[in-house]
Amino acid sequence: MKLTCLAAAGRGGGYHSPASYLLELEGLRFLLDCPVDLSVLAAFAPVPLGVHNGDVGDLISAVPYYWSPAAAAAAKTGGVDAVLVSSATGMLGLPFLTRLPCFANTKVYVTELAARIGKLMMRELVEMHSEFVRYYGPDIDGPPKWMEGEKLDKLMSVLQKVVNEDEVKDLAPFMPLYSATSIDECMQKTQPVKYSEEVCFNGMLMLKASSSGLELGNCVWSIKGPRASITCLSSTVFVSAHALDFDYNSLKENDIILFSDFSSLNAMDEDNENLNVNGTDENGTLLCDDSVLRENGVNEDKNFQCLSINDDIADEIERIGFICSCIMDAIKSGGSVLIPIGRLGVILLILEYISETLHFSNMKVPIFMISGAAEKTIAFTNAVPEWLCKPRQEKLFSGEALFGHVELLKEGRLFLFPHLYSKGLLSAWKEPCIVFCPHWSLRHGTAVHLLRRWHADKRNLLVLEQGFDAELALKPFMPVAMQVLECSFLSGIKARKVNPLLRILKPKLILFPECMKSTCPLKEDSPWSFLHYSKGKTIGIPNIREEFKLRLSTDAAFGLDENITIARLRGKLHLSNGQYVLVAPKDQSDRPKQQLMHWGAVDSDRALSALQDRGIVCSFSADCYSSVGCERSILVTSPGEALVKVTSERTVIYCDDEKTTKRIYDAFSSICNGI
């Protein structure tokens, strides 16, 4: 078994650009996620509008290329057997690969909802990219001019600010964007799955996606084979305000955990500050400290209790509440609000809280969602209850709307348009207003046009996600007088919950990022082993199980003699659904009649008679007594010399002559039980 980290997680904990791996298992090769790091778009200038395009400085004024280290590295491998996708953002780079001949037979496994969201995201990306193509013209053969000379040096300096890499020297991850046709070809290779649905791959491995809790459709993959079981632990949230909670119970006792939740790096300092010496936070609330990580049943329950605390929801709701208060302050001052956030769950929660705030304040402010995917996204969020958290599922049975934006649509406060130039938008447009639109990179999409319109008014508000270089993102729009609110959102498991989770899952081996070795509080004296991986290096994973279980088919089992504890069996070894199965052959006529094993106590007198009947010259030794429990020895003198020692517990035969040995074996076979 081998693991290669093809690409580290992008900025912001890996939500927008998760880590990617190549896993070699049982002779098969799996690609785990294939994202595109869209933060690199900050190196390019947006399409100019008129004569003024801001201070683009070192930014590249050309059709952008897209940064996908995972796709570039996977292409060099010459193909994989399957791709396991954990999120919609984890599939944005797949069309780069699926159009290659070596990936013609590759299967892509992704949850049904993530596939739908991912397809919408890819189509929207292609549509926004077309603005550059219309302005600069289509791509030409060969590398673009900005990949040469002085412009290349400027590009490298910008990349150092936005790419989460130690050094940026190889431009192979830069690729021209795929087409809508490539997206369709990619989606034809996908095999959508539901949560907890087991899929058999190649008869050898069982694949299962479990909910991760981070976002709608996001999952944690399990791979189970006859000799190992692996959990690919991507970014997770134990209790979610919108998505189905993290199903960690389905991952218990898998042999290996591939830990790829890099969000703990961002939350580490905050967690350590909040955790005091007594294991409580500043409010006295019990935190998931190692003091509860003992093996008895009581403290095992405390582990579950720690993971089930809804502090994840509380923190997220507090952030959303603060954002909404800032939005309302901007609206009251006469300003408009631009929200180019790329997280579906966060958008739904903000809409919900804005709906409540507007209802209580009796304010009438239009809200616009301007995106090519807006209408379809809003439509299916109220039609996928099985992918939502339990409280929202309960709303369905009580006849309530699953999300608050339904009321906004009914009241005519929320408007959905695919483009700024859409028919009907002009008549509905009124400022001040609140606008949700792409793209969070501030390089293409509706956000660019509205930012140019609103950037000089200090009453307006721009809501950005923290973790990216805001100064670089806003450079083409300088000077910016509008207010800028940078917000951080929950991107995965909190550092203090790592150890309680591992205690519950009970793995034998953990594959852990080298970059988190010195910061994440994992105990070296834990009952599991560690292997640390780093980007671009292949590590060998030792065999966890020296032995594996074998299942008997019904026909083979009924062919056994139930009256004995050991039996002789002849069959064919098959591999099915990740298990070895012994199947009885159809034709048993050629079954050999020679017995293979013998057992039972040996009567020395019967043994002597059986030997003599076969022409063997033998007798009891002179010092042998017939008392019970005594050892009796039989001396063989012809056709060869041998010695047979018989006790009530065992029989030992000493003989150097092969022919004599065979005759002695035949003699004992005639008096012993055998199969």
Side-chain angles (χ1 to χ4, degrees), residues 400-414:
E400 300 179 52
L402 299 181
F403 289 98
H405 62 259
V406 175
E407 292 299 321
L408 291 173
L409 287 169
K410 288 180 180 179
E411 296 170 0
R413 296 188 180 187
L414 176 60

Side-chain angles (χ1 to χ4, degrees), residues 603-605 608 620-621 624-627 630-634 644-647:
D603 182 275
S604 56
D605 293 320
L608 182 66
F620 288 115
S621 62
C624 181
Y625 302 94
S626 59
S627 59
C630 176
E631 177 184 279
R632 304 191 71 182
S633 299
I634 300 175
V644 180
K645 293 183 177 181
V646 181
T647 68

Side-chain angles (χ1 to χ4, degrees), residues 369-391:
M369 286 192 71
I370 306 175
S371 163
E375 190 171 344
K376 291 183 178 179
T377 301
I378 290 298
F380 73 65
T381 52
N382 275 293
V384 288
E386 69 273 21
W387 303 89
L388 304 180
C389 59
K390 297 299 182 183

